[in-house]
């Protein structure tokens, strides 16, 4: 951890204004709960024009700062000020609202009520205490996060809470569009999908039940001349381009390097051949080369240097907060036609239906993970999603398959492709030809929404930008999800989730204090969540004005919101948050402890003095460490004693014992066995679907449950071009 006498970011003159659109103007929201997830859900709605009333029931977040974790503030903390900007703070709960977001129950009246809890409203873990740290253990993330020499580690910046908040905001608009609903959002279920890359689908397709290695991908975050630089080399073509970029074309065809798995198995060889090539260059030089060679390369950010990076500065990504610091703007950017935002009031809720997007047609041009997850959510909410792929260059996730290209139908066994595309229809169209573009435009003319996630040059180069599409469908909503945004110096740089975690400081907070920053690739599905939310806001606006619009959701700006705490903490206080392994500022002790048996670990995070006293009664020692400051000062000693206490104990029984005492704890669940977690089994989280080639495929849910909404998936992922004839014959 590092300190500064102050922050230039806080002192610089910046416009003080909340980012807002009018999409939800007139919608009344009550935020009646505690924690980041509920507050972020309400913030997303507020940033789209809703009026939000926050009921402050002495929320501990208000007096919290990571810069002084053991000393409650006398004023509002920076994270609180970021989350509550533009809301009205009250002490008495309003009796009525259009939407209620709650983590503690609701007694008033509202057409839409979204309950946001750790485990959901039913099941064996319902009502149990949990936090981000223990939920990362429960969901399986920790089992594959870390290094080969480390215990399981958490992912920094707490992405699960922010993903849960985005899900709650999406659930609120889905319930509103359906004419009213009560929705149960479970953080565990959101994190099971968004913090893992479909491990149980991988197991089903391969029969491999072995736990995934914590060795991580390499090269990922690598030493260079002036510090660290981030790489994301995913495809064989990217590796070939990278090999040329570092002047080692001989590595392009070396079987020890040509796949992510091979590079992981041969890490020592790759390090010895790649490391020296990067060590003589600065991070800025390597990033510039990456842009030229279209290899995803990133500066390694944290709260400190982000404000000085060229691209976010030129795009105006950071806004001023009245409390005197800078913060990321909303990641949902509306490009509505001038003069059409000033409608008189909110759109009327759609007539009651169990499928909120029934009758909405979405043309899906997306590839890989972020875009397809956005359209997957739209399909789960009832939209008809038509997935458009090139017959020669289909969705790249079809190539991330567990089958050899020598096997028949090898492209139909990609776990991530299956996970993000159930219920869609696939058509093949070659947009590089005049006939293909004409067929595509006829399809757009029948659509309500078009979604794409290429770099900006792709659609514009094809002559299929929003203005061209609007000529055939004037009220069209178009969602664009570029990595870095539609403009700016990095606009056409290649980017994946790893790139965003590296740039924004999420990777900086993940890993051992003296080790390299680590990536986990969670920003893809979290960007997809924000994209689906953006589409629903644009459909609300269209219902009120009759106007379509272009909506932009850059991956970078989603990641900046997920990394909001280290960003606003640095800007407000000059305190830089750094990676601490399994420890963190909020809970003391916090750690992962080895239990009896091979690779058996338990996670523990003590947030309050009362919880510590409850744990002390179980262990028989430590009652004298009455305050968090005392425990932090002796954290090493506490870890040693807890390690000895856990060492010969059964993992699950010990976690249950601690939970029964009211202390947050969890087994570090093997992500490959996620579908055996009793809480997920009890809530029927997995839905089996019959695929014509892959057979029975069990798909995870989307983190929402509702008796009023039908959220079942309508079918398996499509085979390539499966529905071309039936869809295009009418287009």
């Amino acid at each position: 951890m590092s300190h500064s006498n102050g922050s230039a970011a806080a002192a610089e003159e910046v416009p003080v204004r909340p980012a807002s659109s009018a999409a939800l103007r007139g919608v009344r929201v009550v935020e009646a709960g505690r924690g980041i997830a509920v507050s972020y859900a309400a913030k997303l709605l507020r940033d789209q024009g809703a009026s939000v009333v926050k009921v402050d029931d002495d929320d501990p977040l208000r007096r919290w700062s990571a810069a002084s974790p053991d000393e409650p503030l006398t004023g509002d903390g920076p994270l609180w000020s970021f989350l509550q900007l533009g809301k009205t703070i009250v002490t008495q709960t309003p009796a009525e609202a259009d939407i209620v977001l709650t983590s503690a129950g609701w007694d008033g009246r509202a057409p839409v009520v979204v309950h946001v809890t750790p485990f959901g409203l039913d099941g064996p873990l319902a009502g149990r205490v949990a936090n981000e740290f223990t939920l990362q253990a429960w969901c399986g993330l920790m089992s594959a996060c870390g290094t080969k020499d480390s215990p399981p580690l958490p992912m920094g910046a707490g992405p699960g809470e922010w993903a849960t908040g985005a899900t709650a905001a999406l659930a609120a608009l889905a319930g509103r569009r359906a004419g009213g609903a009560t929705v149960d959002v479970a953080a565990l279920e959101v994190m099971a999908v968004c913090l893992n890359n479909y491990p149980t689908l991988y197991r089903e397709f391969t029969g491999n039940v072995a736990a995934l290695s914590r060795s991580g991908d390499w090269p990922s975050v690598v030493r260079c001349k002036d510090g660290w630089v981030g790489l994301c080399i995913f495809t064989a073509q990217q590796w070939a381009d990278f090999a040329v970029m570092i002047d080692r074309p001989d590595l392009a065809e070396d079987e020890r390097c040509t796949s992510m798995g091979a590079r992981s198995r041969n890490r020592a060889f790759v390090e010895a051949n790649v490391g020296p090539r990067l060590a003589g260059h600065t991070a800025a030089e390597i990033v510039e080369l990456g842009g030229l060679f279209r290899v995803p390369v990133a500066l390694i950010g944290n709260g400190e240097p982000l404000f000085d990076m060229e691209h976010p500065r030129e795009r105006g990504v950071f806004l001023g907060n009245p409390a005197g610091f800078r913060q990321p703007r909303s990641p949902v950017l509306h490009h509505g036609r001038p003069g059409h935002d000033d409608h008189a009031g909110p759109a009327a809720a759609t007539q009651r239906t169990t499928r909120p997007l029934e009758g909405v047609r979405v043309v899906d041009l997306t590839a890989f993970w972020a875009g397809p997850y956005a359209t997957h959510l739209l399909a789960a909410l009832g939209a008809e999603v038509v997935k458009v792929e090139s017959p020669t260059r289909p969705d790249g996730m079809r190539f991330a398959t567990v089958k050899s290209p020598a096997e028949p139908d090898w492209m139909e066994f990609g776990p991530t492709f299956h996970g993000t595309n159930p219920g869609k229809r696939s058509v093949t169209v070659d947009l590089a030809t005049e006939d293909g573009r004409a067929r595509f435009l006829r399809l757009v003319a029948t659509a309500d929404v078009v979604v794409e996630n290429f770099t900006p040059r792709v659609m514009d180069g094809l002559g299929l930008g929003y203005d061209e599409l609007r000529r055939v469908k004037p009220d069209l909503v178009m969602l664009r999800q570029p990595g870095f945004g539609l403009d700016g110096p990095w606009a056409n740089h290649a980017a994946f989730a790893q790139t965003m975690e590296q740039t924004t400081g999420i990777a900086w907070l993940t890993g051992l204090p003296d080790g390299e920053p680590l990536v986990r690739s969670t920003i893809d599905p979290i960007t997809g969540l924000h994209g689906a939310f953006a589409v629903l806001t644009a459909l609300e606006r269209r219902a009120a004005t009759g106007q379509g619009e272009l909506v932009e959701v850059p991956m970078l700006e989603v990641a900046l919101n997920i990394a909001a705490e280290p960003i606003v903490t640095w800007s407000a206080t000059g305190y830089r948050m750094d990676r601490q392994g399994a420890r963190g500022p909020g809970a003391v002790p916090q750690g992962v402890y080895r239990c009896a048996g091979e690779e058996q670990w338990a996670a523990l995070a003590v947030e309050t003095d009362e919880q510590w006293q409850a744990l002390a009664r179980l262990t028989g020692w430590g009652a004298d460490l009455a305050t968090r400051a005392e425990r932090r000062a002796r954290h090493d000693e506490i870890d040693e004693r807890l390690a000895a206490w856990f060492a010969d104990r059964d993992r699950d029984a010990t976690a249950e014992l601690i939970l029964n005492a009211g202390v947050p704890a969890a087994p570090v669940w093997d992500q490959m066995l996620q579908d055996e977690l009793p809480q997920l089994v009890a809530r029927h989280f997995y839905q089996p679907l019959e695929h014509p080639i892959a057979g029975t495929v069990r798909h995870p849910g989307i983190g929402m449950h509702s008796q009023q909404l039908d959220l079942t998936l309508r079918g398996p992922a499509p085979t390539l071009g499966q529905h071309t004839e039936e869809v295009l014959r009418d287009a």
Side-chain angles (χ1 to χ4, degrees), residues 55 113 141 201 247 272 298 372 374 425 479 488 491 520 547 565 605 631 705:
V55 182
V113 178
L141 174 279
L201 292 182
D247 198 25
R425 298 201 284 172
L479 169 65
R520 285 297 308 155
Q547 300 295 322
E565 182 169 22
R631 296 191 294 277
H705 296 260

Side-chain angles (χ1 to χ4, degrees), residues 636-651:
D636 289 346
E637 176 190 343
I638 292 171
D639 273 348
E640 289 179 7
R641 298 193 69 168
L642 285 174
W645 187 75
F646 276 99
D648 59 354
R649 291 176 174 269
D650 177 78
R651 180 195 69 174

Side-chain angles (χ1 to χ4, degrees), residues 35 45 65 79 90 97 100 112 121 148 196 199 210 222 231 245 280 352 399-400 439 456 479 530 565 633 643 698:
L45 297 170
S65 172
L79 182 57
V90 301
V100 172
V112 178
L121 298 178
K148 61 184 177 62
N196 298 281
V222 184
L231 303 172
M245 179 184 123
R352 185 165 292 282
F399 298 99
R439 299 180 81 188
L479 169 65
H530 286 78
E565 182 169 22
R698 292 188 304 148

Side-chain angles (χ1 to χ4, degrees), residues 37 55 87 124 128 204 213 235-236 314 415 459 469 496 548 658 673:
V55 182
K87 302 176 185 176
R128 296 297 192 97
E204 286 187 0
S213 168
T235 66
E314 291 198 16
M459 295 297 286
L469 300 187
F496 286 84
I658 299 171
L673 303 177

Side-chain angles (χ1 to χ4, degrees), residues 96 268 344 374 376-377 411 423 426 449 553 556 622 654 691:
E96 295 187 12
H376 163 46
L377 293 168
M411 283 197 301
S426 171
V449 180
V553 180
L556 176 69
T654 305
H691 188 269

Side-chain angles (χ1 to χ4, degrees), residues 259-271:
S259 72
M260 295 177 75
R263 291 191 293 274
S264 179
R265 291 189 297 272
N266 298 285
R267 176 166 177 164
F269 171 80
V270 181
E271 283 183 341

Side-chain angles (χ1 to χ4, degrees), residues 309-531:
M309 289 184 183
E310 175 189 30
H311 182 82
R313 186 177 66 246
E314 291 198 16
R315 274 181 56 86
V317 164
F318 295 107
L319 305 177
N321 187 290
F325 60 84
R326 284 198 282 175
Q327 67 179 50
R329 68 183 175 186
S330 169
V332 179
L333 308 173
H334 291 260
H335 300 274
R337 296 172 63 191
H340 290 280
D341 265 347
D342 298 323
H343 56 81
T350 307
Q351 65 181 358
R352 185 165 292 282
T353 176
T354 62
R355 302 284 284 176
L357 294 181
E358 192 80 52
V360 172
R361 172 175 266 195
V362 177
V363 173
D364 177 6
L365 285 164
T366 66
F368 291 98
W369 194 357
Y373 192 68
T375 51
H376 163 46
L377 293 168
L378 299 177
L381 294 175
E384 176 200 4
V385 177
V386 179
K387 185 174 181 68
V388 178
E389 299 180 77
S390 166
T392 56
R393 296 184 65 184
D395 185 340
M397 275 303 180
R398 287 193 184 273
F399 298 99
T401 173
V402 301
K403 300 293 185 181
S404 163
E407 298 184 51
D409 300 314
W410 63 279
M411 283 197 301
E412 303 299 343
F413 289 88
T416 306
F417 184 86
H418 277 267
T420 55
N421 291 286
K424 302 178 186 179
R425 298 201 284 172
S426 171
V427 303
T428 50
V429 177
D430 188 353
L431 297 179
T433 68
E434 184 175 344
D435 178 66
R437 287 191 295 275
R439 299 180 81 188
F440 174 72
L441 288 173
R442 289 196 296 272
L443 181 60
V444 170
T446 70
D448 300 284
V449 180
V450 170
V451 183
E452 63 92 9
N453 67 329
F454 304 116
T455 55
R457 66 160 68 92
V458 174
M459 295 297 286
D460 298 339
L462 291 169
L464 296 174
Y466 181 61
D467 287 341
E468 288 76 19
L469 300 187
R470 192 158 51 85
R471 290 192 183 100
V472 300
K473 189 68 187 313
D475 65 346
L476 182 73
V477 169
M478 185 177 190
L479 169 65
R480 303 190 70 177
Q481 292 185 288
F484 289 105
L486 295 177
D487 56 22
W490 301 346
N492 284 304
H493 284 201
F496 286 84
Q498 294 94 322
T499 319
M500 300 308 157
E501 292 178 22
Q502 292 159 350
T503 302
T504 59
I506 297 172
W508 182 263
L509 292 175
T510 306
L512 298 172
D514 56 352
E516 67 196 54
L518 303 176
V519 297
R520 285 297 308 155
S521 309
T522 65
I523 293 302
D524 273 328
I526 299 177
T527 298
L529 272 167
H530 286 78

